[in-house]
Amino acid sequence: MLRTLHCYLLILSILFTISCKQQQTADLVIHNGTIYTVNEAQPQAEAVAVIDDKIVFVGSEAEVQEWIGDATEVLDLQGKTMTPGLIEGHGHFMGVGENKMNLDLLAVRSFEEVAEMVAEAASEAEPGTWITGRGWHQDKWDSLPEMVQGFPTHHLLSEAAPDNPVYLQHASGHAGIANSKAMEIAGITAIDQEGTGVTEVTGGDIFQDELGNPTGIFNENAMGLITEHIPTQTQETLIRVANLAMEECLSHGITSFQDAGISQDIVQLYKKLAEENKLKVRLYAMLSGSDSTLLEEYFEKGPEIGLDSNFLTIRSVKLYTDGALGSRGAWLLEEYSDMPGQFGHETTPVSYIHDIAVKGLQHGFQVCSHAIGDRANREVLDQYESAFNQLPELSKNHRYRTEHAQHLSAQDIPRFAGMGVIPAMQAIHMSSDRPWAIERLGKARIEEGAYVWRKLIDSGAIVVNGTDAPVEPVDPLPSFYASVTRKTLQGEPEGGYEPDQRMTREEALKSYTWNAAYGAFEEDIKGSIEEGKLADFTIFSQDIMQVPEDQILETKVDYTIVGGKIAYTRE
């Protein structure tokens, strides 16, 4: 009897061992490459195993073999480099898709080239159809047309498309140019004999020539005078835009995207895509602070976290404090060096920022405030600090953010770490803007507080990286390059601008992974390659942590993996 019992227990033990072995078979194993985990306890690994959408093993080539079964998909990196899935820390998701549908002006080198693109679009469009685009930036052109207050006038666009309204957003998104047909539709006409015809706008400008006639440039809040007349997009068009954005992100290794400001219709679109399991990139959405009705609705019902298996979270609010430096809308403590008397714009009353900062704490919402100029950053920090002091018990893990934090006063730099405020910055802006930004701010202000990642990091702040796409292309590698070189994408100047502010490559990678996850309360589920976290990975053609800096921009994304599934493969 005892012998029989012993045999029975032995059989059970064998079956249990087999069962455990079967449970350890992975759905996906990735090996034979350099894996940077962004996990200080295990900085590098040789292999990773995944079951469903989670990482179950991080370790050596030898150990990973036990996870491989007949049904396991095995991805041989063949010496390539893998990192945690890259997180776009601040961008405009639908704008990325719209740039694929409308005129993409990021690469144009002159206003004449812009006009040629408009003329070509008009030749294919029905009269009266709007022609829209985004991405022009006069400070990046090789030659300049007729200029008024540092910007082009509408005349070339009006000649290129006389029968079509045209509206082209500046790369910054804080200004736009309209042709005469668009201004006619909006009722913005030349000044008549009675001196009427141009409307003044609080928090914005309608640029005028020396005779008082509109030049076509609409700055900050004045943009709405034109954009309110552009037809709204259908649901089918919005879905197409979202799909184009997802494809563009995945092709550049972006697995998560922090969307900086969405309206009610985009909220509904994202929730529809989530319910239908059609999101391919994880979205962390910030509600537009300009829609008070939308905010009150969400303050009443609370955040929505981790919808569709962690593909959609809505738990933050986006506010706009000022404009952009390129259009001289950034709000400064002292006047612009190249335009005396101009200090930029307060685009949202600071009292409203304080009100939302308090309500965010009360209702469990993070507050993220656009602030580029040093005055804007100080005002945001002041309003946050006041809210924290008012509700100290609710402020222990607020993770409030300042979006851009581009130009800071020296005395405000340590306040970020001291208050636990996250500077969500875009290194690529330094690369693109620094050559002309010195004209706006002057040498002293540039050196003191412009794009000061090193000063912020050394003070203890957690810097989140990104591109602000479609202000810049969503590709993270130029931003990574700018982070570690402080150079333009043409490799200038030798040694970089203010080189003492460079990040290390480890810091730059962390700013695009763990830091960005932390900036969205998601560091426990993403941002590093660790057991139990989501299986989101970016695989590069070469080792961005080791190659000479002039080869970083030659790197390609070979695979993007989201939730353990290969979502993009480079052909």
Side-chain angles (χ1 to χ4, degrees):
M1 182 68 179
L2 185 60
R3 186 179 186 128
T4 303
L5 180 61
H6 178 75
C7 291
Y8 178 70
L9 292 174
L10 180 61
I11 292 170
L12 284 178
S13 176
I14 293 171
L15 290 174
F16 179 75
T17 301
I18 293 172
S19 175
C20 289
K21 183 69 174 179
Q22 289 174 340
Q23 289 176 5
Q24 287 184 323
T25 299
D27 297 319
L28 173 68
V29 162
I30 306 169
H31 73 120
N32 192 28
T34 302
I35 300 174
Y36 293 100
T37 66
V38 193
N39 173 14
E40 292 181 1
Q42 185 185 17
Q44 287 188 233
E46 296 177 332
V48 169
V50 175
I51 293 179
D52 294 328
D53 64 347
K54 301 292 195 308
I55 300 167
V56 295
F57 168 81
V58 182
S60 69
E61 283 278 359
E63 293 172 302
V64 81
Q65 299 304 314
E66 67 182 60
W67 292 92
I68 300 175
D70 293 339
T72 302
E73 180 180 5
V74 178
L75 179 58
D76 185 345
L77 294 178
Q78 298 179 334
K80 297 179 175 66
T81 295
M82 187 169 88
T83 69
L86 299 184
I87 300 171
E88 170 56 61
H90 175 108
H92 307 278
F93 189 72
M94 296 297 283
V96 173
E98 287 168 357
N99 255 27
K100 306 298 290 185
M101 293 178 61
N102 302 325
L103 297 182
D104 185 350
L105 308 173
L106 282 170
V108 299
R109 307 306 301 176
S110 70
F111 194 47
E112 288 75 15
E113 187 179 345
V114 173
E116 290 171 5
M117 294 174 68
V118 168
E120 182 178 352
S123 70
E124 301 173 358
E126 293 290 331
T129 302
W130 280 80
I131 296 171
T132 58
R134 179 171 177 167
W136 64 272
H137 199 305
Q138 75 281 8
D139 290 303
K140 301 178 184 179
W141 292 341
D142 296 328
S143 60
L144 296 176
E146 173 192 3
M147 302 283 278
V148 175
Q149 297 183 57
F151 285 86
T153 65
H154 69 87
H155 298 99
L156 280 181
L157 301 185
S158 297
E159 293 171 8
D163 299 319
N164 296 88
V166 176
Y167 180 71
L168 308 175
Q169 264 195 306
H170 191 266
S172 66
H174 290 266
I177 186 167
N179 73 344
S180 57
K181 190 68 175 178
M183 289 190 284
E184 176 188 330
I185 291 172
I188 308 298
T189 58
I191 289 182
D192 59 26
Q193 292 181 348
E194 284 74 39
T196 62
V198 174
T199 305
E200 293 185 358
V201 180
T202 301
D205 304 289
I206 301 171
F207 282 29
Q208 302 168 44
D209 63 21
E210 59 185 8
L211 299 177
N213 297 315
T215 66
I217 295 293
F218 293 80
N219 194 30
E220 302 301 345
N221 291 349
M223 293 186 293
L225 297 173
I226 299 295
T227 58
E228 67 178 357
H229 297 280
I230 300 175
T232 57
Q233 296 172 316
T234 65
Q235 181 79 351
E236 291 73 19
T237 301
L238 290 174
I239 291 173
R240 183 185 173 203
V241 169
N243 284 329
L244 287 170
M246 285 187 264
E247 292 171 8
E248 186 72 2
C249 289
L250 292 171
S251 71
H252 290 295
I254 300 294
T255 60
S256 293
F257 195 107
Q258 295 174 6
D259 197 351
I262 64 171
S263 58
Q264 177 71 53
D265 59 335
I266 304 304
V267 169
Q268 297 307 316
L269 172 70
Y270 289 172
K271 293 180 75 170
K272 172 182 170 62
L273 293 173
E275 290 167 3
E276 296 174 357
N277 298 312
K278 291 182 178 178
L279 288 176
K280 303 173 187 175
V281 173
R282 303 186 194 277
L283 297 177
Y284 183 81
M286 306 176 194
L287 301 169
S288 174
S290 60
D291 189 340
S292 58
T293 302
L294 178 63
L295 295 192
E296 289 304 321
E297 174 191 334
Y298 266 89
F299 287 158
E300 184 175 341
K301 70 180 180 181
E304 295 177 314
I305 300 172
L307 304 180
D308 183 27
S309 301
N310 292 303
F311 269 88
L312 177 61
T313 287
I314 302 172
R315 68 175 300 173
S316 62
V317 175
K318 169 71 181 301
L319 300 173
Y320 285 92
T321 311
D322 67 346
L325 193 68
S327 58
R328 297 184 185 85
W331 196 15
L332 304 182
L333 291 166
E334 299 178 8
E335 63 188 8
Y336 278 84
S337 296
D338 60 353
M339 188 171 285
Q342 173 65 279
F343 291 82
H345 288 289
E346 172 194 9
T347 54
T348 299
V350 293
S351 59
Y352 184 72
I353 294 172
H354 178 267
D355 180 51
I356 298 302
V358 170
K359 289 183 177 178
L361 296 174
Q362 292 171 331
H363 299 282
F365 280 83
Q366 178 189 47
V367 177
C368 310
S369 297
H370 166 113
I372 289 182
D374 50 7
R375 172 74 183 275
N377 277 279
R378 177 170 296 177
E379 294 287 353
V380 168
L381 291 173
D382 286 349
Q383 300 313 312
Y384 285 178
E385 187 172 41
S386 176
F388 300 159
N389 291 336
Q390 185 175 332
L391 298 169
E393 289 302 312
L394 299 178
S395 305
K396 293 179 179 178
N397 191 30
H398 58 80
R399 302 197 192 181
Y400 277 20
R401 296 171 35 154
T402 297
E403 306 300 310
H404 308 304
Q406 254 176 263
H407 308 99
L408 308 173
S409 170
Q411 67 190 74
D412 291 323
I413 292 171
R415 296 179 69 192
F416 286 85
M419 294 167 56
V421 173
I422 298 166
M425 309 175 76
Q426 298 76 48
I428 188 60
H429 286 335
M430 190 287 309
S431 178
S432 295
D433 300 357
R434 174 59 181 80
W436 54 262
I438 194 166
E439 299 174 8
R440 301 285 195 272
L441 299 174
K443 186 173 184 291
R445 280 188 288 186
I446 284 282
E447 293 179 348
E448 175 187 90
Y451 319 101
V452 286
W453 316 317
R454 175 86 274 133
K455 290 180 181 179
L456 285 163
I457 292 170
D458 287 348
S459 72
I462 297 175
V463 174
V464 172
N465 215 328
T467 63
D468 200 12
V471 175
E472 302 279 355
V474 75
D475 185 356
L477 285 169
S479 210
F480 180 89
Y481 172 83
S483 300
V484 301
T485 68
R486 303 281 298 192
K487 295 180 180 180
T488 68
L489 300 188
Q490 290 71 44
E492 299 174 348
E494 184 68 29
Y497 290 109
E498 293 76 52
D500 61 321
Q501 293 304 303
R502 287 181 296 207
M503 297 186 203
T504 67
R505 296 199 196 195
E506 290 74 20
E507 288 167 339
L509 179 59
K510 193 173 183 180
S511 72
Y512 248 107
T513 53
W514 191 92
N515 286 8
Y518 177 89
F521 297 89
E522 295 178 329
E523 75 278 11
D524 290 337
I525 61 170
K526 64 173 73 165
S528 60
I529 299 176
E530 300 181 59
E531 292 179 14
K533 288 194 173 183
L534 293 167
D536 297 348
F537 312 115
T538 304
I539 297 171
F540 297 101
S541 61
Q542 58 181 352
D543 191 340
I544 61 172
M545 307 298 284
Q546 298 294 333
V547 296
E549 68 177 36
D550 60 358
Q551 294 182 25
I552 292 174
L553 294 176
E554 299 174 6
T555 308
K556 306 295 182 184
V557 171
D558 282 350
Y559 297 95
T560 304
I561 298 173
V562 183
K565 307 294 182 184
I566 298 176
Y568 167 80
T569 304
R570 181 165 68 97
E571 295 181 1

